[in-house]
Amino acid sequence: KTFPTYDPRTGDVIANVAEGDAEDIDRAVAAARKAFDEGPWPKMTPYERSRIMLRFADLVEKHSEELAALETWNNGKPHEQAAKSELPMFIRLFHYYAGWADKIHGLTVPADGPHHVQTLHEPIGVAGQIIPWNFPLLMFAWKVGPALACGNTIVLKTAEQTPLTALYVAKLFHEAGLPPGVLNVVSGYGPTAGAALAGHMDVDKVAFTGSTDTGKIILELAAKSNLKPVTLELGGKSPFIICEDADVDKAVELAHFALFFNQGQCCCAGSRTFVHERVYDEFLEKAKARALRRVVGDPFRKGVEQGPQIDTEQFEKVLRYIRAGIESNATLECGGDRLGTKGYFVQPTVFSNVMDDMLIAKDEIFGPVQSILKFKDIDEVIRRANNTRYGLAAGVFTKSVETANTLTRALRAGTVWVNCFDVFDAAIPFGGYKMSGIGREKGIYSLHNYLQVKAVVTPLKNPAWL
């Protein structure tokens, strides 16, 4: 079976891709199991694993021009963003995890008595990984990098909208010397391939990035099968708080970036822009003007800031939320409709006079729709910012260290950016509070997702010391 994958600029078919289903997942898991139980990967020295990962990163760098073009073609993100930001970060992430491979170790633990106690950090086994369509390459790196560094084998399901770059880089991994069966990429749909992977009895761990609703299904499938551990990186409705002492021009630009980056298709997007009442009017006028200046068009064209939404389903969803905002009596300042007649382009849209109980202030829109809300004081904005089922990220814009310290500790979110936003260094952990997920990606914390801790206790006879 095959399924079409599309160019979101036009809606035209790029290629027909092999459609994996439950049977293909079974075959991939069997290959990963054999590679883990019998194959060389977990038995290699960590240094050897590190060298293969570094060779892979070098091959990606060699082919980065093709990969950036393929990412834009299949996803619609600006080519400059893919080429200058995302491919270098992908390479950096694999260098980072390759560096961790030979630094994963346990402890010698003092015990109350004549026993030698050590802890071993062992690979968890076969890791099932399901990645989203908004950052196909980066999400591949966030998942595959730590799992391989820890000595695991992998079955990875791509998003059905964006299978192409994962298939390309998997080929490069084999060229780098990755043994057969260690990394298995299956392209297919969530209800078939994804569900089969999450509920598979021979998968030892599952990691998923995507919507909160789907995350619940993944968790349930894992629990009902073999109770495999699960890490989830899910939705968000992140507050971006602009305090009364803010440099308004800088705040406008940063808030614009926080929301509109990647066509608004970012789980941690600053999608609730809270502005202090003293600077609200000035901010609103400048935010509207900035949105009107945003360059939308063919993402391969130089200078384009915003490409199309990923597909017709997401495109229609964004337009429905815009209509909901208008119907709830939020003020539409600009945008509000599609752009052009071909492809999935949405006008940069700004709403003012947004209330906390409106759908556009509560739901994750995942599109270029900025909701601007007014607040009076710090205590109020803390309460309102935390009044959400999500807790992925938050932004704070202030000149006051005291205000920044108060807000960063009070906000119930996995990441708080102060006077910046969307800083994704390889070493910085990323993940959510509440219904934004379980566990952390990136940094040392991501390794914990792919390791088992074993305590080994042996008696000591006539020890010189305890």
Side-chain angles (χ1 to χ4, degrees):
K1 289 189 295 184
T2 62
F3 65 95
T5 189
Y6 298 96
D7 178 351
R9 299 174 302 162
T10 60
D12 296 338
V13 175
I14 298 172
N16 289 297
V17 180
E19 182 188 338
D21 56 20
E23 182 184 351
D24 299 284
I25 292 292
D26 283 342
R27 293 170 66 194
V29 171
R33 173 55 60 197
K34 184 177 181 182
F36 185 79
D37 291 345
E38 303 172 19
W41 187 250
K43 298 174 185 176
M44 277 185 187
T45 67
Y47 177 59
E48 288 178 290
R49 290 202 299 267
S50 173
R51 292 183 66 194
I52 289 172
M53 293 173 72
L54 289 171
R55 281 201 295 272
F56 167 71
D58 289 345
L59 284 168
V60 170
E61 190 164 19
K62 179 181 174 183
H63 292 274
S64 59
E65 190 175 318
E66 302 101 289
L67 280 163
L70 195 58
E71 191 83 328
T72 293
W73 193 15
N74 201 190
N75 171 276
K77 66 178 69 228
H79 182 257
E80 288 183 62
Q81 175 185 320
K84 295 180 181 178
S85 297
E86 295 184 20
L87 259 299
M89 177 54 73
F90 182 96
I91 295 160
R92 174 70 180 97
L93 283 158
F94 273 97
H95 283 149
Y96 177 84
Y97 288 119
W100 265 118
D102 60 358
K103 299 169 188 68
I104 298 167
H105 54 77
L107 301 170
T108 302
V109 182
D112 292 338
H115 291 89
H116 174 73
V117 183
Q118 62 177 321
T119 59
L120 303 177
H121 289 184
E122 299 180 345
I124 202 164
V126 176
Q129 302 181 327
I130 302 171
I131 59 173
W133 47 258
N134 56 339
F135 294 96
L137 278 172
L138 288 181
M139 295 301 100
F140 179 101
W142 285 22
K143 294 285 188 291
V144 171
L148 290 183
C150 294
N152 299 281
T153 59
I154 297 166
V155 177
L156 179 136
K157 191 197 87 69
T158 59
E160 56 265 31
Q161 297 89 342
T162 53
L164 299 181
T165 48
L167 294 170
Y168 192 118
V169 295
K171 182 182 174 185
L172 296 181
F173 243 130
H174 286 292
E175 194 176 326
L178 192 73
V182 175
L183 173 64
N184 307 272
V185 178
V186 180
S187 50
Y189 292 95
T192 49
L197 185 59
H200 204 287
M201 291 296 292
D202 212 20
V203 169
D204 299 304
K205 183 264 181 318
V206 67
F208 169 77
T209 296
S211 73
T212 295
D213 288 343
T214 305
K216 290 180 179 180
I217 297 169
I218 299 289
L219 200 57
E220 185 177 9
L221 289 167
K224 285 183 175 178
S225 53
N226 57 348
L227 208 62
K228 62 179 72 66
V230 176
T231 48
L232 301 171
E233 197 263 281
L234 306 175
K237 194 67 179 173
S238 301
F240 186 94
I241 300 169
I242 294 148
C243 300
E244 61 182 308
D245 63 349
D247 179 321
V248 173
D249 290 331
K250 289 181 180 177
V252 163
E253 192 60 38
L254 196 58
H256 180 87
F257 170 72
L259 184 282
F260 289 100
F261 172 63
N262 206 52
Q263 293 69 251
Q265 297 172 156
C266 192
C267 51
C268 58
S271 52
R272 289 182 295 152
T273 309
F274 286 98
V275 183
H276 193 279
E277 61 182 8
R278 291 184 186 170
V279 294
Y280 181 88
D281 290 340
E282 180 187 358
F283 179 92
L284 177 60
E285 285 307 308
K286 291 180 176 179
K288 175 182 175 180
R290 177 63 183 92
L292 288 168
R293 291 198 306 274
R294 186 168 184 79
V295 181
V296 185
D298 185 339
F300 280 103
R301 207 173 72 234
K302 190 174 177 60
V304 166
E305 298 174 278
Q306 180 179 317
Q309 308 309 120
I310 186 67
D311 60 14
T312 185
E313 182 181 345
Q314 191 64 25
F315 173 75
E316 294 295 344
K317 176 189 170 188
V318 173
L319 293 178
R320 282 198 305 273
Y321 274 113
I322 290 171
R323 290 194 293 272
I326 295 168
E327 289 164 6
S328 62
N329 293 320
T331 304
L332 179 64
E333 297 287 345
C334 65
D337 207 345
R338 76 177 300 164
L339 193 69
T341 57
K342 195 174 186 181
Y344 310 124
F345 296 89
V346 175
Q347 294 173 344
T349 299
V350 176
F351 281 104
S352 63
N353 298 316
V354 178
M355 300 292 114
D356 294 356
D357 60 350
M358 294 177 179
L359 278 181
I360 59 171
K362 293 194 300 182
D363 288 5
E364 185 178 34
I365 299 172
F366 231 60
V369 182
Q370 185 176 34
S371 297
I372 302 178
L373 306 92
K374 186 186 294 185
F375 75 94
K376 291 183 179 181
D377 58 51
I378 294 297
D379 289 341
E380 175 202 332
V381 81
I382 289 170
R383 175 180 53 77
R384 292 171 62 195
N386 286 335
N387 185 25
T388 173
R389 63 186 180 275
Y390 297 116
L392 191 54
V396 174
F397 202 90
T398 179
K399 295 175 183 175
S400 166
V401 173
E402 289 78 11
T403 300
N405 284 337
T406 297
L407 287 169
T408 52
R409 283 161 174 74
L411 293 168
R412 301 276 298 159
T415 301
V416 182
W417 286 293
V418 181
N419 297 335
C420 60
F421 208 87
D422 281 345
V423 178
F424 294 115
D425 189 274
I428 300 173
F430 184 80
Y433 285 33
K434 299 187 279 188
M435 292 179 74
S436 285
I438 301 168
R440 293 294 180 270
E441 310 265 7
K442 299 192 292 128
I444 188 173
Y445 296 91
S446 64
L447 302 175
H448 301 169
N449 303 332
Y450 296 100
L451 293 168
Q452 292 278 26
V453 178
K454 178 185 287 181
V456 180
V457 184
T458 54
L460 292 169
K461 187 174 182 181
N462 300 320
W465 50 270
L466 287 176

Coordinates of all heavy atoms in Angstrom, one line a residue, residues 283-327:
F283 N 1.2 48.9 22.5 CA 1.6 47.5 22.0 C 0.7 47.0 20.9 O 1.2 46.5 19.9 CB 1.6 46.5 23.2 CG 2.0 45.1 22.8 CD1 3.3 44.7 22.8 CD2 1.1 44.2 22.3 CE1 3.7 43.4 22.4 CE2 1.4 43.0 21.9 CZ 2.7 42.5 22.0
L284 N -0.6 47.2 21.1 CA -1.6 46.7 20.1 C -1.4 47.3 18.8 O -1.4 46.6 17.7 CB -3.0 47.0 20.6 CG -4.1 46.6 19.7 CD1 -4.1 45.1 19.4 CD2 -5.5 46.9 20.3
E285 N -1.2 48.6 18.7 CA -1.0 49.3 17.4 C 0.2 48.8 16.7 O 0.2 48.5 15.5 CB -1.0 50.8 17.6 CG -2.3 51.4 17.9 CD -3.4 51.0 16.9 OE1 -3.1 51.2 15.6 OE2 -4.5 50.5 17.3
K286 N 1.3 48.6 17.5 CA 2.6 48.2 16.9 C 2.5 46.7 16.5 O 3.1 46.3 15.5 CB 3.7 48.5 17.8 CG 4.0 50.0 17.9 CD 5.1 50.3 18.9 CE 5.4 51.9 18.9 NZ 6.5 52.3 19.8
A287 N 1.8 45.9 17.3 CA 1.7 44.5 17.0 C 0.9 44.3 15.7 O 1.2 43.4 14.9 CB 1.0 43.7 18.1
K288 N -0.2 45.0 15.6 CA -1.0 45.0 14.3 C -0.1 45.4 13.1 O -0.2 44.7 12.1 CB -2.2 45.9 14.5 CG -3.0 46.0 13.3 CD -4.2 47.0 13.5 CE -5.0 47.3 12.2 NZ -6.1 48.2 12.5
A289 N 0.6 46.5 13.3 CA 1.5 46.9 12.2 C 2.5 45.9 11.8 O 2.8 45.7 10.6 CB 2.1 48.3 12.5
R290 N 3.1 45.2 12.8 CA 4.1 44.2 12.5 C 3.5 43.0 11.8 O 4.1 42.5 10.9 CB 4.7 43.7 13.8 CG 5.8 42.6 13.7 CD 6.9 43.1 12.8 NE 7.9 42.0 12.6 CZ 7.9 41.2 11.6 NH1 7.0 41.3 10.6 NH2 8.9 40.3 11.4
A291 N 2.3 42.6 12.2 CA 1.6 41.5 11.5 C 1.3 41.9 10.1 O 1.4 41.0 9.2 CB 0.3 41.1 12.3
L292 N 0.9 43.1 9.8 CA 0.6 43.5 8.4 C 1.9 43.6 7.6 O 1.8 43.4 6.3 CB 0.0 44.9 8.5 CG -1.5 44.9 9.0 CD1 -2.0 46.4 9.2 CD2 -2.4 44.2 8.0
R293 N 3.0 43.7 8.2 CA 4.3 43.7 7.5 C 4.9 42.3 7.2 O 5.8 42.2 6.5 CB 5.4 44.5 8.2 CG 5.2 46.0 8.3 CD 6.5 46.8 8.6 NE 7.1 46.3 9.9 CZ 6.8 46.7 11.1 NH1 5.8 47.6 11.3 NH2 7.4 46.2 12.2
R294 N 4.3 41.3 7.9 CA 4.8 40.0 7.8 C 4.7 39.5 6.3 O 3.7 39.6 5.7 CB 4.1 39.0 8.7 CG 4.7 37.6 8.8 CD 4.1 36.8 9.9 NE 4.7 35.5 10.0 CZ 5.9 35.3 10.6 NH1 6.6 36.3 11.1 NH2 6.4 34.1 10.7
V295 N 5.8 38.9 5.8 CA 5.9 38.5 4.4 C 5.5 37.1 4.3 O 6.1 36.2 4.9 CB 7.4 38.7 3.9 CG1 7.4 38.3 2.4 CG2 7.8 40.1 4.1
V296 N 4.4 36.8 3.7 CA 3.8 35.5 3.5 C 3.9 35.1 2.0 O 3.6 35.9 1.1 CB 2.3 35.4 3.9 CG1 1.8 34.0 3.9 CG2 2.2 36.0 5.4
G297 N 4.3 33.9 1.7 CA 4.4 33.5 0.3 C 5.2 32.2 0.2 O 5.3 31.4 1.1
D298 N 5.7 32.0 -1.0 CA 6.4 30.7 -1.4 C 7.6 30.6 -0.4 O 8.5 31.5 -0.4 CB 6.9 30.8 -2.8 CG 7.5 29.5 -3.3 OD1 8.0 28.7 -2.4 OD2 7.6 29.3 -4.5
P299 N 7.7 29.6 0.4 CA 8.8 29.5 1.4 C 10.2 29.3 0.8 O 11.2 29.5 1.5 CB 8.4 28.3 2.2 CG 7.5 27.5 1.4 CD 6.8 28.4 0.5
F300 N 10.2 29.0 -0.5 CA 11.5 28.9 -1.1 C 12.1 30.3 -1.5 O 13.3 30.4 -1.9 CB 11.5 28.0 -2.4 CG 11.5 26.5 -2.0 CD1 10.4 25.8 -2.1 CD2 12.7 25.9 -1.7 CE1 10.4 24.4 -1.8 CE2 12.8 24.6 -1.4 CZ 11.6 23.8 -1.4
R301 N 11.2 31.3 -1.5 CA 11.6 32.6 -1.9 C 12.4 33.3 -0.8 O 11.9 33.3 0.4 CB 10.4 33.4 -2.3 CG 10.7 34.5 -3.4 CD 9.5 35.2 -3.9 NE 8.9 36.1 -2.9 CZ 7.6 36.0 -2.5 NH1 6.8 35.1 -3.1 NH2 7.1 36.8 -1.7
K302 N 13.5 34.0 -1.1 CA 14.3 34.7 0.0 C 13.4 35.8 0.6 O 12.7 36.5 -0.1 CB 15.5 35.3 -0.7 CG 16.5 35.8 0.3 CD 17.8 36.2 -0.5 CE 18.8 36.9 0.5 NZ 19.3 36.0 1.6
G303 N 13.5 35.9 1.9 CA 12.8 37.0 2.6 C 11.4 36.6 3.1 O 10.8 37.4 3.8
V304 N 10.9 35.5 2.6 CA 9.6 35.1 3.1 C 9.7 34.6 4.5 O 10.5 33.8 4.9 CB 9.0 34.0 2.2 CG1 7.8 33.3 2.8 CG2 8.6 34.5 0.8
E305 N 8.8 35.2 5.4 CA 8.8 34.8 6.8 C 7.8 33.7 7.1 O 7.9 33.0 8.1 CB 8.4 36.0 7.6 CG 9.3 37.2 7.6 CD 8.8 38.4 8.3 OE1 7.9 39.1 7.7 OE2 9.2 38.6 9.5
Q306 N 6.8 33.5 6.3 CA 5.7 32.6 6.6 C 5.2 31.9 5.4 O 4.9 32.5 4.4 CB 4.5 33.3 7.2 CG 3.3 32.4 7.6 CD 2.2 33.3 8.2 OE1 2.4 34.1 9.1 NE2 1.0 33.0 7.8
G307 N 5.3 30.5 5.4 CA 4.8 29.7 4.4 C 3.4 29.2 4.6 O 2.7 29.8 5.5
P308 N 2.9 28.2 4.0 CA 1.6 27.6 4.2 C 1.5 26.8 5.4 O 2.5 26.3 6.0 CB 1.4 26.8 2.9 CG 2.8 26.3 2.6 CD 3.7 27.4 3.0
Q309 N 0.2 26.6 5.9 CA 0.0 25.6 6.9 C 0.2 24.2 6.3 O 0.3 24.1 5.1 CB -1.5 25.7 7.5 CG -1.9 27.1 7.9 CD -0.9 27.8 8.9 OE1 -0.4 28.9 8.6 NE2 -0.7 27.2 10.0
I310 N 0.3 23.2 7.2 CA 0.8 21.9 6.7 C -0.2 21.2 5.7 O 0.3 20.6 4.8 CB 1.1 21.0 7.9 CG1 1.7 19.7 7.4 CG2 -0.2 20.7 8.7 CD1 3.1 19.8 6.9
D311 N -1.5 21.3 6.0 CA -2.4 20.6 5.1 C -3.8 21.2 5.2 O -4.0 22.1 5.9 CB -2.5 19.1 5.4 CG -2.9 18.8 6.8 OD1 -3.5 19.7 7.5 OD2 -2.7 17.6 7.3
T312 N -4.7 20.7 4.4 CA -6.1 21.3 4.3 C -6.8 21.1 5.7 O -7.6 22.0 6.1 CB -6.9 20.6 3.2 OG1 -8.1 21.3 3.1 CG2 -7.1 19.1 3.4
E313 N -6.6 20.1 6.4 CA -7.2 19.9 7.7 C -6.8 21.0 8.7 O -7.6 21.6 9.4 CB -6.9 18.5 8.3 CG -7.5 18.2 9.6 CD -7.2 16.8 10.2 OE1 -6.6 16.0 9.4 OE2 -7.4 16.6 11.4
Q314 N -5.5 21.2 8.8 CA -5.0 22.2 9.7 C -5.4 23.6 9.2 O -5.7 24.5 10.0 CB -3.5 22.1 9.8 CG -2.8 23.0 10.9 CD -3.2 22.5 12.3 OE1 -3.6 21.4 12.5 NE2 -3.2 23.5 13.2
F315 N -5.4 23.9 7.9 CA -5.8 25.1 7.3 C -7.2 25.4 7.7 O -7.6 26.6 8.2 CB -5.6 25.0 5.8 CG -6.2 26.1 5.0 CD1 -5.5 27.3 4.9 CD2 -7.4 25.9 4.3 CE1 -6.0 28.4 4.1 CE2 -7.9 27.0 3.5 CZ -7.2 28.2 3.4
E316 N -8.1 24.5 7.5 CA -9.5 24.7 7.9 C -9.7 24.9 9.4 O -10.6 25.7 9.8 CB -10.4 23.5 7.4 CG -10.5 23.4 5.9 CD -11.2 24.6 5.2 OE1 -11.9 25.3 5.9 OE2 -11.0 24.7 4.0
K317 N -9.0 24.2 10.2 CA -9.1 24.3 11.6 C -8.7 25.7 12.1 O -9.4 26.3 12.9 CB -8.1 23.3 12.3 CG -8.0 23.4 13.8 CD -6.9 22.5 14.4 CE -6.7 22.8 15.8 NZ -5.5 22.1 16.4
V318 N -7.6 26.3 11.5 CA -7.2 27.6 11.9 C -8.3 28.6 11.5 O -8.7 29.5 12.3 CB -5.9 28.0 11.2 CG1 -5.6 29.5 11.4 CG2 -4.8 27.1 11.7
L319 N -8.9 28.5 10.3 CA -10.0 29.4 9.9 C -11.2 29.3 10.8 O -11.9 30.3 11.0 CB -10.3 29.1 8.4 CG -9.2 29.5 7.4 CD1 -9.7 29.1 6.0 CD2 -8.8 30.9 7.5
R320 N -11.5 28.1 11.3 CA -12.6 27.9 12.2 C -12.4 28.6 13.5 O -13.3 29.3 14.0 CB -12.9 26.4 12.5 CG -13.6 25.7 11.4 CD -14.2 24.3 11.9 NE -13.2 23.5 12.5 CZ -12.4 22.6 11.8 NH1 -12.5 22.5 10.5 NH2 -11.5 21.8 12.4
Y321 N -11.2 28.6 14.0 CA -10.8 29.3 15.2 C -10.9 30.8 15.0 O -11.4 31.6 15.9 CB -9.5 28.9 15.8 CG -9.5 27.7 16.6 CD1 -8.9 26.5 16.2 CD2 -10.2 27.7 17.9 CE1 -9.0 25.4 17.0 CE2 -10.2 26.6 18.7 CZ -9.6 25.4 18.3 OH -9.7 24.3 19.1
I322 N -10.5 31.3 13.9 CA -10.6 32.7 13.6 C -12.1 33.1 13.6 O -12.5 34.2 14.2 CB -10.0 33.0 12.2 CG1 -8.5 32.9 12.3 CG2 -10.4 34.5 11.8 CD1 -7.7 33.0 11.0
R323 N -13.0 32.3 13.0 CA -14.4 32.6 13.0 C -14.9 32.6 14.4 O -15.8 33.4 14.8 CB -15.2 31.6 12.1 CG -14.9 31.8 10.6 CD -15.9 31.0 9.8 NE -15.8 29.6 9.9 CZ -15.0 28.8 9.1 NH1 -14.2 29.4 8.2 NH2 -14.9 27.5 9.3
A324 N -14.5 31.6 15.2 CA -14.9 31.6 16.6 C -14.5 32.8 17.4 O -15.2 33.3 18.2 CB -14.3 30.3 17.3
G325 N -13.3 33.3 17.1 CA -12.9 34.6 17.8 C -13.8 35.7 17.4 O -14.1 36.6 18.3
I326 N -14.1 35.8 16.1 CA -15.0 36.9 15.7 C -16.4 36.8 16.3 O -17.0 37.8 16.9 CB -15.2 36.9 14.2 CG1 -13.8 37.3 13.5 CG2 -16.2 37.9 13.7 CD1 -13.7 37.0 12.0
E327 N -16.9 35.6 16.4 CA -18.2 35.3 17.0 C -18.3 35.5 18.5 O -19.3 35.8 19.0 CB -18.7 33.9 16.6 CG -19.0 33.7 15.2 CD -19.1 32.2 14.8 OE1 -18.9 31.3 15.7 OE2 -19.2 31.9 13.5

